[in-house]
């Protein structure tokens, strides 16, 4: 159940951290451990931005440089007809010819998820800050589109294929709580467990939302 000729998918977020952990990933279970998972965008133990896909076996593409420097960076990953790509601050830093990813349904989780792969970070929960988390469903953005989004600091108008856009809106003092989806699709996220990570500068743990296919 893989998508080799799919239009693809693009995931991105602003992040700031000094640690490893999952930024955004697809899991088949909403809250607990999952038995099916891929499209893992996250930080390795060495601080590299990585994209992990399941193509019948583990497939992980990593950035050559490390970004666990406690500074804000815009990270983006995609897979589709143009291959598998990783971007940092609008610049394409690594790519491959792989066009395949697991074409399963489930939930996008940010800041946490299941990953038992050999390349997974030692600590999966993200410790740091996240903002403007996006999923472009059935759309592999071009290099220029990703660069435009990174340089526009959230003021872009690239909405074709945008399925999820989670942004910080108000304080989160209850468990669970809701983070609104600004894509216009109503794919609000649910927050669980406080004091683990931050969205923007407000402390929460992770959020999730069902994806379509």
């Amino acid at each position: 159940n893989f998508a080799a000729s799919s239009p693809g998918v693009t995931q991105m977020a602003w992040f700031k951290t000094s640690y490893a952990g999952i930024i955004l990933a697809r899991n088949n279970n909403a809250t607990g451990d999952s038995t099916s998972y891929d499209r893992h965008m996250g930080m390795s133990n060495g601080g590299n931005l990585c994209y992990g896909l399941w193509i019948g076996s583990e497939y992980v593409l990593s950035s050559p440089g490390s970004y666990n420097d406690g500074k804000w960076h815009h990270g983006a990953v995609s897979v589709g007809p143009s291959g598998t790509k990783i971007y940092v601050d609008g610049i394409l830093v690594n790519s491959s010819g792989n066009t395949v990813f697991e074409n399963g349904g489930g939930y996008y989780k940010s800041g946490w998820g299941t990953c038992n792969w050999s390349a997974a970070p030692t600590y999966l929960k993200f410790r740091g800050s996240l903002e403007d988390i996006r999923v472009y469903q059935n759309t592999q953005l071009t290099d220029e589109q990703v660069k435009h989004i990174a340089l526009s600091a959230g003021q872009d108008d690239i909405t074709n294929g945008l399925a999820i856009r989670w942004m910080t809106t108000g304080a989160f003092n209850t468990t669970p709580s809701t983070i609104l989806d600004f894509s216009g699709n109503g794919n609000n996220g649910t927050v669980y467990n406080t004091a683990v990570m931050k969205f923007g500068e407000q402390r929460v743990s992770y959020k999730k939302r069902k994806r379509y296919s």
Side-chain angles (χ1 to χ4, degrees):
N1 189 22
F2 303 108
S5 59
S6 164
V9 63
T10 303
Q11 301 158 229
M12 61 180 63
W14 284 93
F15 66 90
K16 180 173 68 172
T17 186
S18 300
Y19 305 96
I22 295 173
I23 295 174
L24 182 64
R26 198 263 328 164
N27 288 244
N28 70 329
N29 193 317
T31 57
D33 289 338
S34 296
T35 56
S36 173
Y37 42 86
D38 79 328
R39 280 165 263 167
H40 276 73
M41 174 186 179
M43 303 293 289
S44 71
N45 289 332
N48 311 89
L49 182 62
C50 300
Y51 196 31
L53 304 169
W54 182 257
I55 61 173
S57 60
E58 299 175 26
Y59 180 84
V60 179
L61 187 69
S62 302
S63 67
S66 58
Y67 303 95
N68 57 346
D69 53 10
K71 299 178 181 179
W72 280 105
H73 296 283
H74 184 268
V77 295
S78 73
V79 58
S82 297
T84 303
K85 298 185 175 186
I86 296 179
Y87 305 82
V88 178
D89 298 329
I91 299 172
L92 179 65
V93 296
N94 203 1
S95 63
S96 77
N98 174 68
T99 62
V100 178
F101 62 98
E102 190 172 31
N103 193 23
Y107 299 80
Y108 275 106
K109 292 181 180 178
S110 184
W112 184 82
T114 302
C115 188
N116 296 319
W117 298 349
S118 60
T122 304
Y123 192 79
L124 297 178
K125 289 184 178 179
F126 188 87
R127 292 167 288 175
S129 300
L130 293 173
E131 182 57 287
D132 200 357
I133 301 165
R134 306 190 194 188
V135 177
Y136 286 84
Q137 192 70 8
N138 298 318
T139 304
Q140 185 175 30
L141 298 183
T142 66
D143 296 352
E144 284 301 314
Q145 286 176 317
V146 173
K147 181 179 180 181
H148 176 67
I149 292 171
L151 296 180
S152 68
Q155 302 303 311
D156 61 276
D157 57 356
I158 299 176
T159 58
N160 183 39
L162 182 61
I164 295 171
R165 187 180 184 185
W166 289 322
M167 300 179 69
T168 303
T169 54
F172 305 100
N173 297 318
T174 60
T175 304
S177 186
T178 299
I179 296 181
L180 299 179
D181 170 32
F182 285 82
S183 72
N185 296 303
N187 291 322
N188 298 331
T190 302
V191 181
Y192 290 87
N193 302 325
T194 59
V196 176
M197 57 167 280
K198 298 178 182 178
F199 289 103
E201 294 299 332
Q202 302 189 39
R203 190 171 292 276
V204 297
S205 68
Y206 73 89
K207 59 190 176 183
K208 51 110 180 136
R209 179 65 196 181
K210 189 173 183 180
R211 67 180 292 271
Y212 302 113
S213 61

